[in-house]
Amino acid sequence: MKPAAFDYVRARSVSEATDLLAKKEGDAKILAGGQSLTPMLNLRLARSSLLIDIKRAEGLRSLEADGSIVAIGAGWTHAEIEDGAVEDPTRGLMRHVARGIAYRAVRNRGTIGGSLAHADPAADWVSTMAVLGATLVCEGTGGKRRRVAADGFLQGAFLTQLAADEVLVAIEVPRLSAQARWGYYKVCRKAGEFAHALGAVIHDPAKNICRIVVGATDGPPKLLPRTAAALAADRMAEALDGLDREIVAVLPEHEPAAQRLHATAVRRAIAAMSTTMDH
Amino acid sequence: MSASSTNGEGVGARVPRKEDARHLHGRGQFVGDLAMPGMQDVAFLRSPVAHASIVSRSKPAGSDGAIFFHDDLTGTLPIITRSSIPGYKVSDYPVLARERVRFVGEPVAMCVAANRAAAEDLTETIDVQYDELPAIVSSDAGRAAGATLLHPQWGDNLFLETSFDSGLDQAVADAPVKVELDISTARQTMHPLEGKGVVAHWDHRAGQLVVHTSTQVPHLIRAGLAECLGLPQALVRIIAPDVGGGFGYKCLLQPEEVVVAWLALTYKTPFRWIEDRREHLVAGANARQHQYRIKAYADRQGRLLGMDAEVAVDVGAYSVWPFTACLEAAQAGGNLPGPYHLTAYRVKTYSVATNKPPFAPYRGVARPGVCFAMEQVIDAIAKAVGREAWEVRAENLVPGSAMPYTNITNKHYDSGDYPAALLSAKEMIGLDAFRAGARRDARGRYLGIGFASYTEQSAHGTKVFAAWGLPFVPGYDQAFVKLTPDGALEVRSGIHTIGQGLETTLAQVACEVTGVPLSTIKVTLGDTATTPFSTGAYASRGIVMAGGAVARAGEVVAERIKAIAAHLLQVTPDAVTFRDGRIYAGNASLSYADVGRAWYFRPEQLPDNVDRAGLEATEGYKPEVDSGLFSYASHAVRVAVDPDTGLVEILDYVIVEDCGRMVNPMIVEGQTYGGAAQGVGTALFEESPYDANGQPLASTLIDYLLPGPVELPKFRIAHRETLSPYTKFGIKGVGEGGAIAPPAAIINAINDALAPLNAEVRDAPASPKRVLAAIEAARSRADALAGADA
Ligand SMILES: Cc1cc2nc3c(=O)[nH]c(=O)nc-3n(C[C@H](O)[C@H](O)[C@H](O)COP(=O)(O)OP(=O)(O)OC[C@H]3O[C@@H](n4cnc5c(N)ncnc54)[C@H](O)[C@@H]3O)c2cc1C
């Protein structure tokens, strides 16, 4: 369980990283916290002749805030988000999510950008950013930037919209208003384990937002607009009633037992909303 | 001896472990910590398929001396484990695959390079063509008519088939109550914190092959290795340094051990192989997988009248050395009746060859499985007669008044009060208050309490092992004790400490009999060159056997110390006593150094009749009755079961155990916690599933779940201390016990919780999937009934 030989470069800037990515034409990989990449290299499930370490690259630990969003550099770690070193515009949701990722040792190194780029369907940030309606900022060679909606960034398990020469540089997280409520629930067998099913809910009446996501599926997280609409209209009973059907509709490939488990995760996320006010 | 004679450090003292300081400071020395000039790393190319003929194999030109196939290993013999049991079939376990591979992970080629990564690179340059055969992935499939044979010359896939029948007809005829259960436990890996590891080199000065290996049984490995390499044993020295857990995984001679030693023998330079987690998860998936079909008969009170059982063990492809592929089934058949009074019993056992790694005895050996099965039987009977499970259990347990008691399979229970332990557990868990309360908690989870009782045969010796037909049979364990010139004590034993604290407990025993302070007693273990023979650390035997031997040798040395001291103090030996770390006669006293100095350096001070053997002795020990000492316990657990996720939370866990005289209660508790943690793993988490092609589906710790601190309850332990009539100090073994009962207690608690839903889980681990499936099955049964009514 040792990786095949590779070269290592510490990129000083995003443009150095994107240039190297372009030059190596797919045979180079970005290394961030290494918490997903290094196990895969060790198992030789991933190979690459060059690792481009972006931990010290300028700009990836930026924080830019205005009245409507906070743009979080991709290089911030789960632990820093957990500890509040990064401003949390989500009324505690992000800190809560960060605290539930893996173990502290993993959180000390793993980055929010790495988690999103890795695109494990069970990863916490993947569902969280989808439910928040966040926007991912990707930069390619020549400083070319694109902004991609988090909902839709995943194209499948471990597959994203990132082009071969692109680096994820920041995540623009919309601010929730003071009255917003959220709920988040993971079904795990043990602490620090990836979720088997995940539900995330945001209800921000002031901004007219009510979004529900079911995550830890076989692919991208799915929005549940019908259930969300009923919830937004304060028709809780109807929302919960229709949930099972909507889950079946958005996850048709899942076994019935898995569909039920995902419905449970969402139901509990909705229930958690009333108890997760005011963090 | 009284506490003052040993300064409160002798047998029974709750002293901290001597070995912990180095471990807590990170200064332990494990195989992986060894470095030698010129040492090369070994990696194995392992079979990617479960069952196949090898059609061809080739390595790149110029890789001789770096890549080895079976035929390159001139002079090595396969691992062949014979047994004297009639009907047992011998497997040839080649140290690298020969014409066939029989499990995913079987070593096919060995690669050597300057470091492990480079050695792994070499594995990728090898081309092996396989002609795949159907894989046998369950004991049922292995026994099916027309099954593909793993060892074609056998004619079937059975290493061994055994039966025992005391006659059941009367019980069947008399029984108003009959329960029938199908029960299984999953395949597991043992997961010691430190995996297997070997560093071998040739010692030119000693003219010896020196093998540092992470093992529980250094003296056995010496014998086995010498046999496989065709060497005289005098040319082989085994050193087991710090061993980070063994659990049975390290009581075997492994093919990797043989071939790495062969490299050192052949090239006379150092070689190292350190098992990684993936190798362990794939090639080390070798424990626990049992299948039971049981019919039990009882009267209307729930008293057991008879039991009819079939046990199949999925023992994998080969027979391990020296414990064979059949130890597990032998124990399963013999121990299934457990702590109960049973008068009619029939059992058939099958040790079935499958395309999986060779089975090894894991902490508790077959007993977690038999306890899991038997305790479900008791609960099922209780349910059938409408009584509380603990009551039915208590009435069926062998009572204290019957001790010593020989059970239906001829196990001799030496002492104890089994029902009393159960009653304490019932009180501690608060069953009555629980029954008076709600069945569901505020979160809608179902609540339940479960019990399990067991006996743990420990330190079983000559008679038992001879009956199991193993290639070695343990007899007397020996120990060496010596007073040094400066008055310290050296203790040497051929047993090994693998985390169970023997450096401390053996010192406590030596302190008890010699009065030498614990701090100046040095225990040496694990090196065949410096310790007397012992078959090693397994079967919860260490403190009984090595402890007994240290006591014997220590007593001999103590007598000689007294004789010299008496002469120096001008009294008779019987006037000499040990106290507060000194030697007294009345008010006059000597230090141990005074005596040591007299013997070694001032012989003119010695009496004329001084014993010429001096201040050292090697003595052997085995208990007066060596059929095993039976420790026992009752566990009780309270759980919450989430009916929507299938997740089980352990809310409270109590253990009432009795292992005879406790040499160090803190160590007994540590052993119990650790064992119970592994038991929780068996109960709820750990599983190495295989697909239909024999591919292991849990090859990383993402898929193989081990319980962590968060998942484990705070085990509450209470002790009983019933001495064994047969051993020094009344000690019994305790190392394995904790692991035995948790699966049974937890499954019974889950089924108690799910009783309102009529759902029952019968298989371990009780994963969310199994729990949810049981609830679904109960629902569809109920729906079908409702449909029929309508
Ligand atoms: C034991 C364990 C438990 C875990 N449990 C959880 C859990 O419960 N929930 C959870 O969400 N996660 C979990 N994880 C994953 C963890 O969150 C990782 O930190 C995260 O998935 C990857 O982040 P990283 O910074 O370490 O990325 P790396 O491992 O360095 O990289 C991951 C992948 O993303 C690419 N990449 C990284 N950064 C960028 C970038 N800025 N732009 C483009 N590509 C990039 C890399 O090339 C690589 O392909 C766990 C990990 C471990 C080891």
Side-chain angles (χ1 to χ4, degrees):
Chain A
M1 248 175 47
K2 303 281 181 207
F6 55 79
D7 289 328
Y8 170 92
V9 172
R10 176 177 283 172
R12 276 154 308 197
S13 64
V14 173
S15 63
E16 186 183 345
T18 54
D19 284 350
L20 282 167
L21 281 174
K23 198 172 108 203
K24 295 291 278 187
E25 293 177 349
D27 194 20
K29 271 199 175 301
I30 298 292
L31 174 70
Q35 295 306 291
S36 295
L37 182 56
T38 40
M40 291 182 57
L41 290 169
N42 285 343
L43 292 165
R44 300 194 175 198
L45 293 172
R47 279 173 203 252
S48 166
S49 69
L50 177 67
L51 294 191
I52 307 161
D53 186 343
I54 54 166
K55 272 192 295 289
R56 310 271 171 96
E58 217 174 295
L60 287 184
R61 291 171 56 81
S62 58
L63 264 185
E64 284 163 28
D66 63 24
S68 59
I69 60 154
V70 175
I72 300 171
W76 289 96
T77 64
H78 311 321
E80 286 163 332
I81 296 170
E82 174 184 13
D83 294 347
V86 175
E87 186 196 342
D88 179 358
T90 65
R91 304 220 338 108
L93 172 60
M94 285 186 64
R95 286 185 74 174
H96 172 85
V97 167
R99 198 181 311 134
I101 296 174
Y103 321 99
R104 183 71 191 194
V106 173
R107 301 199 287 271
N108 281 338
R109 287 180 172 272
T111 64
I112 183 168
S115 175
L116 289 163
H118 186 58
D120 186 328
D124 288 90
W125 294 130
V126 166
S127 291
T128 305
M129 292 305 144
V131 81
L132 282 168
T135 303
L136 309 189
V137 184
C138 312
E139 184 174 321
T141 40
K144 236 180 10 265
R145 288 200 168 196
R146 295 194 293 144
R147 297 171 70 255
V148 182
D151 171 34
F153 180 67
L154 255 66
Q155 295 179 318
F158 306 100
L159 207 65
T160 70
Q161 291 198 32
L162 273 177
D165 69 343
E166 277 180 329
V167 171
L168 175 58
V169 290
I171 299 101
E172 296 174 355
V173 183
R175 285 187 188 280
L176 294 182
S177 57
Q179 296 74 33
R181 297 190 304 156
W182 54 263
Y184 191 81
Y185 193 89
K186 292 200 278 183
V187 179
C188 297
R189 288 177 71 184
K190 57 178 281 192
E193 199 203 5
F194 276 105
H196 296 270
L198 190 161
V201 190
I202 293 214
H203 191 193
D204 190 349
K207 296 199 159 181
N208 210 7
I209 293 172
C210 186
R211 232 181 269 117
I212 304 180
V213 149
V214 57
T217 69
D218 288 350
K222 301 281 186 181
L223 286 172
L224 301 173
R226 295 172 67 96
T227 307
L231 185 67
D234 232 357
R235 298 195 305 265
M236 188 63 114
E238 185 192 318
L240 294 178
D241 237 28
L243 174 63
D244 293 322
R245 255 173 292 127
E246 191 169 23
I247 293 270
V248 172
V250 299
L251 301 176
E253 307 290 317
H254 286 58
E255 304 256 320
Q259 291 167 341
R260 281 195 294 273
L261 197 65
H262 282 85
T264 296
V266 173
R267 204 170 282 122
R268 290 187 182 179
I270 293 172
M273 279 207 301
S274 51
T275 55
T276 49
M277 298 267 305
D278 302 317
H279 291 268
Chain B
M1 215 173 270
S2 68
S4 74
S5 70
T6 63
N7 221 1
E9 298 177 333
V11 168
R14 193 179 266 277
V15 293
R17 305 201 315 174
K18 286 165 85 77
E19 48 268 75
D20 284 347
R22 72 173 182 279
H23 289 312
L24 292 173
H25 287 101
R27 298 200 185 102
Q29 195 180 51
F30 299 86
V31 168
D33 295 316
L34 297 172
M36 293 184 190
M39 183 168 73
Q40 289 183 277
D41 270 307
V42 170
F44 291 96
L45 175 71
R46 294 175 180 275
S47 175
V49 292
H51 201 187
S53 302
I54 297 181
V55 182
S56 68
R57 65 199 106 194
S58 61
K59 50 188 167 189
S63 63
D64 287 342
I67 298 178
F68 302 86
F69 293 129
H70 175 271
D71 290 349
D72 298 323
L73 307 179
T74 44
T76 58
L77 296 171
I79 296 173
I80 296 180
T81 315
R82 299 190 192 283
S83 165
S84 58
I85 294 188
Y88 166 90
K89 303 192 193 88
V90 176
S91 65
D92 239 25
Y93 187 0
V95 290
L96 288 178
R98 213 161 35 203
E99 69 281 359
R100 252 200 209 207
V101 288
R102 293 184 176 86
F103 63 94
V104 173
E106 182 168 356
V108 173
M110 171 167 64
C111 300
V112 173
N115 59 57
R116 175 66 180 249
E120 288 185 23
D121 288 346
L122 284 180
T123 63
E124 297 178 354
T125 66
I126 300 170
D127 182 35
V128 181
Q129 297 295 322
Y130 299 96
D131 189 5
E132 280 197 62
L133 296 160
I136 302 294
V137 292
S138 71
S139 50
D140 277 347
R143 287 170 61 194
T148 305
L149 300 184
L150 270 85
H151 303 278
Q153 71 279 15
W154 288 5
D156 59 22
N157 283 321
L158 294 174
F159 277 99
L160 186 66
E161 191 178 338
T162 67
S163 60
F164 172 91
D165 189 355
S166 72
L168 261 186
D169 296 351
Q170 196 58 43
V172 175
D174 291 350
V177 174
K178 174 182 157 188
V179 299
E180 237 184 297
L181 300 179
D182 280 1
I183 291 168
S184 72
T185 50
R187 200 170 201 80
Q188 283 185 238
T189 60
M190 300 187 205
H191 265 289
L193 206 50
E194 178 213 19
K196 184 74 191 174
V198 189
V199 170
H201 76 281
W202 183 259
D203 181 335
H204 288 276
R205 185 184 58 77
Q208 267 185 328
L209 175 67
V210 181
V211 183
H212 286 83
T213 183
S214 185
T215 186
Q216 304 167 224
V217 291
H219 289 273
L220 287 183
I221 295 299
R222 184 191 198 196
L225 198 58
E227 190 175 314
C228 281
L229 295 174
L231 285 178
Q233 290 192 28
L235 266 55
V236 181
R237 176 177 178 187
I238 304 293
I239 301 172
D242 274 327
V243 173
F247 310 122
Y249 185 60
K250 297 175 184 170
C251 68
L252 315 168
L253 178 66
Q254 296 198 343
E256 292 90 346
E257 232 158 7
V258 177
V259 295
V260 171
W262 176 87
L263 284 169
L265 176 66
T266 306
Y267 293 96
K268 304 287 193 284
T269 57
F271 292 89
R272 165 172 81 171
W273 170 67
I274 304 292
E275 178 188 64
D276 67 31
R277 282 294 149 190
R278 190 160 217 211
E279 290 181 294
H280 186 74
L281 283 160
V282 173
N286 61 6
R288 291 280 190 262
Q289 195 167 15
H290 293 194
Q291 202 176 327
Y292 296 86
R293 297 201 174 97
I294 300 181
K295 294 193 196 89
Y297 303 91
D299 69 15
R300 285 191 211 289
Q301 285 298 301
R303 199 165 264 283
L304 267 172
L305 298 177
M307 199 160 71
D308 194 359
E310 195 185 287
V311 188
V313 184
D314 181 335
V315 293
Y318 303 105
S319 203
V320 296
W321 192 94
F323 287 94
T324 80
C326 306
L327 177 69
E328 190 85 4
Q331 288 221 16
N335 285 317
L336 186 58
Y340 300 104
H341 176 68
L342 184 65
T343 51
Y345 178 47
R346 180 161 68 195
V347 66
K348 279 177 150 305
T349 77
Y350 302 90
S351 300
V352 187
T354 57
N355 291 110
K356 297 181 190 171
F359 216 80
Y362 175 25
R363 194 176 200 170
V365 197
R367 288 155 297 184
V370 297
C371 180
F372 186 68
M374 189 66 203
E375 295 303 288
Q376 290 195 59
V377 167
I378 298 288
D379 272 42
I381 290 173
K383 189 173 174 187
V385 300
R387 298 182 67 198
E388 278 284 356
W390 75 270
E391 270 178 327
V392 169
R393 188 166 273 110
E395 289 171 12
N396 279 295
L397 287 169
V398 173
S401 57
M403 292 294 172
Y405 171 91
T406 301
N407 88 344
I408 191 154
T409 58
N410 206 26
K411 307 253 175 245
H412 185 73
Y413 298 167
D414 51 330
S415 64
D417 189 336
Y418 302 169
L422 175 62
L423 287 179
S424 304
K426 179 220 157 204
E427 292 307 319
M428 281 174 72
I429 201 77
L431 182 74
D432 296 340
F434 174 80
R435 286 291 184 239
R439 290 223 62 126
R440 300 182 75 170
D441 69 5
R443 288 153 64 183
R445 299 183 303 176
Y446 288 86
L447 305 172
I449 283 182
F451 293 91
S453 303
Y454 68 88
T455 59
E456 176 195 5
Q457 187 176 19
S458 68
H460 24 306
T462 312
K463 191 173 135 205
V464 177
F465 278 81
W468 285 338
L470 298 192
F472 82 96
V473 173
Y476 287 91
D477 251 60
Q478 287 170 317
F480 168 86
V481 171
K482 171 181 179 171
L483 190 78
T484 59
D486 57 354
L489 204 69
E490 275 182 32
V491 174
R492 296 167 188 268
S493 156
I495 201 113
H496 198 40
T497 185
I498 52 176
Q500 75 280 51
L502 280 171
E503 286 175 35
T504 306
T505 46
L506 293 182
Q508 286 182 262
V509 168
C511 167
E512 181 71 27
V513 295
T514 63
V516 174
L518 207 56
S519 59
T520 56
I521 300 178
K522 171 85 192 104
V523 176
T524 298
L525 307 165
D527 184 340
T528 58
T530 58
T531 63
F533 184 85
S534 162
T535 52
Y538 57 90
S540 299
R541 66 193 297 281
I543 194 59
V544 175
M545 303 299 297
V550 167
R552 281 263 165 85
E555 282 164 350
V556 169
V557 172
E559 285 313 307
R560 299 194 195 140
I561 290 170
K562 282 184 176 171
I564 294 173
H567 183 74
L568 297 176
L569 292 166
Q570 300 186 358
V571 296
T572 55
D574 56 5
V576 176
T577 55
F578 303 137
R579 179 156 39 94
D580 301 330
R582 290 180 66 81
I583 304 164
Y584 280 88
N587 285 332
S589 77
L590 293 172
S591 70
Y592 285 89
D594 293 332
V595 174
R597 207 177 306 116
W599 166 258
Y600 292 101
F601 301 144
R602 305 302 301 270
E604 73 275 16
Q605 298 179 355
L606 296 172
D608 293 339
N609 64 348
V610 70
D611 193 323
R612 282 173 304 179
L615 294 176
E616 63 181 64
T618 301
E619 285 290 325
Y621 173 83
K622 66 178 186 174
E624 286 160 40
V625 174
D626 79 346
S627 53
L629 303 319
F630 285 78
S631 295
Y632 63 94
S634 279
H635 291 205
V637 57
R638 188 157 54 84
V639 303
V641 185
D642 185 327
D644 296 317
T645 61
L647 289 167
V648 176
E649 187 188 351
I650 299 175
L651 303 172
D652 191 13
Y653 201 115
V654 304
I655 297 173
V656 181
E657 71 81 38
D658 186 347
C659 62
R661 184 88 169 106
M662 289 185 284
V663 174
N664 183 333
M666 194 151 61
I667 287 182
V668 169
E669 285 156 16
Q671 289 298 297
T672 307
Y673 292 138
Q678 287 175 311
V680 170
T682 301
L684 295 175
F685 296 102
E686 298 182 47
E687 182 169 13
S688 306
Y690 284 75
D691 73 9
N693 299 317
Q695 289 293 331
L697 300 177
S699 67
T700 72
L701 292 174
I702 287 184
D703 298 310
Y704 191 91
L705 297 189
L706 292 164
V710 178
E711 287 71 47
L712 292 170
K714 185 169 171 11
F715 297 102
R716 296 191 289 136
I717 301 180
H719 302 290
R720 300 175 58 82
E721 211 168 15
T722 316
L723 304 193
S724 173
Y726 305 133
T727 62
K728 185 75 191 172
F729 308 117
I731 302 174
K732 306 181 184 188
V734 73
E736 299 171 89
I740 294 175
I746 291 168
I747 202 84
N748 282 341
I750 292 171
N751 287 337
D752 184 47
L754 296 181
L757 299 177
N758 257 319
E760 281 168 346
V761 185
R762 293 281 174 229
D763 305 316
S767 58
K769 212 171 167 170
R770 289 196 176 93
V771 171
L772 291 176
I775 293 172
E776 268 307 297
R779 268 196 201 122
S780 23
R781 277 198 306 273
D783 289 351
L785 273 180
D789 284 351

